[in-house]
Amino acid sequence: MSDEPKYTLKLKIWKKFEGIIWRIETDEGLGHVAIETRVPNSKEVNFSVFNFKTGEPLLEEIRTENGWWWNMDRIHQNRLFLHGYLSENTPEHKGICAIDVETGKTSWENFQLTLEDISDEGLVVYNPLLQPRKFSVISPTDGVHLRSGVSEYKSVERNITYPELVSDLALFPSYLPKNIAGPVSHLKYYNTDIWSYHTEDQGFFSQEILILKEEEIVLHDILTSGIQKLNPESFFIVQNHLFYLKGGYREIVTYLL
């Protein structure tokens, strides 16, 4: 009888960054995942894009000319959209910078508009200096104005599946460790069970992820260890692909489930 496991997971992305992963966005239409990283104690902001279906890196830790001013907003139709700020002292967004995913170069910029959402027609935008807000639609490709006076629109569909918190010990399966600290995250995805939890040892915590298919363990990974407080949840699923962060939020891992 073969000892080969019945199920395996296919690794798509495993990338360690210089900086800390600050934001993640996905474009389900093209299978892209965009990642913003920030280097501690500096004003370095880097942007990376991968095709999560193939694992191909499209952009790796590129920087914009204005550096800290631009932060990631969305990714759509081969464009990575960044936003600036109304001022240095407010979190309110102002400005749009569109980066071509294929070249890493700036396709277009508009310093007067703010990105509100992405619709089937294009980018839904407004001028943050005008009240009340009036929405328009512009082209994601070149920023050209398409329609004014937008009151209703259909957002581009985003299907991201997140886990639920489980705090009742009676609901924990027997294969979970006994030294769990804090709530446990669980996601049932077809025949796959994904558990994420913290264990405690001598006052320090480790964050772990455990994946089972039909009660067979197919992956056990330590996301981080030796920490003094509990981390927030760090995994989600898009189009049958599991994404999670590890290594002190410096690594992203993607598996096809």
Side-chain angles (χ1 to χ4, degrees), residues 121-145:
E121 292 182 75
L123 307 184
V124 180
V125 299
Y126 64 93
N127 186 332
L129 299 179
L130 300 179
Q131 296 293 335
R133 288 182 180 177
K134 295 182 179 180
F135 297 112
S136 301
V137 174
I138 64 174
S139 166
T141 304
D142 52 20
V144 170
H145 180 270

Side-chain angles (χ1 to χ4, degrees), residues 13 15 17 31-33 35 48-52 55-58:
I13 301 170
K15 172 67 177 179
F17 298 96
H32 290 170
V33 56
I35 302 153
S48 302
V49 178
F50 296 83
N51 184 315
F52 63 76
E56 177 188 6
L58 304 174

Side-chain angles (χ1 to χ4, degrees), residues 5-244:
K6 183 179 179 181
Y7 298 104
T8 58
L9 300 178
K10 189 169 185 179
L11 179 66
K12 290 295 185 176
I13 301 170
W14 192 322
K15 172 67 177 179
K16 184 175 182 179
F17 298 96
E18 178 187 1
I20 294 172
I21 296 172
W22 197 259
R23 184 178 175 94
I24 299 173
E25 288 288 335
T26 59
D27 177 1
E28 297 172 44
L30 294 177
H32 290 170
V33 56
I35 302 153
E36 175 185 329
T37 57
R38 300 186 182 186
V39 180
N41 303 318
S42 80
K43 290 192 174 183
E44 262 181 39
V45 180
N46 299 323
F47 304 99
S48 302
V49 178
F50 296 83
N51 184 315
F52 63 76
K53 295 180 179 179
T54 65
E56 177 188 6
L58 304 174
L59 297 176
E60 292 195 82
E61 299 191 88
I62 68 165
R63 300 173 189 170
T64 63
E65 184 178 343
N66 293 317
W68 194 254
W69 171 258
W70 293 113
N71 295 137
M72 189 169 72
D73 209 327
R74 295 282 294 273
I75 183 168
H76 180 65
Q77 291 186 0
N78 262 335
R79 296 290 187 277
L80 178 63
F81 297 103
L82 313 179
H83 67 257
Y85 295 93
L86 195 59
S87 73
E88 293 183 359
N89 302 316
T90 177
E92 188 174 354
H93 298 177
K94 181 176 182 287
I96 304 170
C97 176
I99 305 294
D100 188 319
V101 169
E102 294 182 355
T103 66
K105 299 181 183 292
T106 299
S107 295
W108 57 270
E109 292 176 311
N110 187 311
F111 294 96
Q112 307 305 317
L113 297 177
T114 297
L115 178 61
E116 169 73 10
D117 201 353
I118 298 178
S119 74
D120 293 339
E121 292 182 75
L123 307 184
V124 180
V125 299
Y126 64 93
N127 186 332
L129 299 179
L130 300 179
Q131 296 293 335
R133 288 182 180 177
K134 295 182 179 180
F135 297 112
S136 301
V137 174
I138 64 174
S139 166
T141 304
D142 52 20
V144 170
H145 180 270
L146 299 177
R147 188 160 69 93
S148 300
V150 176
S151 58
E152 295 183 357
Y153 60 88
K154 182 180 179 182
S155 298
V156 170
E157 190 172 357
R158 308 175 79 187
N159 293 310
I160 303 175
T161 306
Y162 296 100
E164 295 182 351
L165 290 179
V166 180
S167 54
D168 186 350
L169 292 174
L171 300 178
F172 292 177
S174 59
Y175 50 73
L176 290 186
K178 304 303 180 186
N179 59 333
I180 285 179
V184 171
S185 296
H186 174 249
L187 179 57
K188 178 74 173 179
Y189 191 77
Y190 297 103
N191 69 334
T192 303
D193 279 282
I194 305 170
W195 296 87
S196 180
Y197 50 85
H198 292 80
T199 56
E200 184 177 7
D201 183 23
Q202 298 182 358
F204 291 93
F205 302 104
S206 293
Q207 188 178 24
E208 307 177 24
I209 191 168
L210 187 67
I211 304 175
L212 299 91
K213 284 183 176 282
E214 296 182 0
E215 299 189 356
E216 175 186 312
I217 296 176
V218 293
L219 178 73
H220 176 217
D221 199 0
I222 306 296
L223 307 186
T224 190
S225 60
I227 55 177
Q228 295 181 311
K229 62 179 182 178
L230 304 182
N231 281 336
E233 193 42 70
S234 58
F235 80 86
F236 60 90
I237 291 176
V238 176
Q239 290 186 347
N240 299 327
H241 288 75
L242 169 70
F243 296 80
Y244 65 84

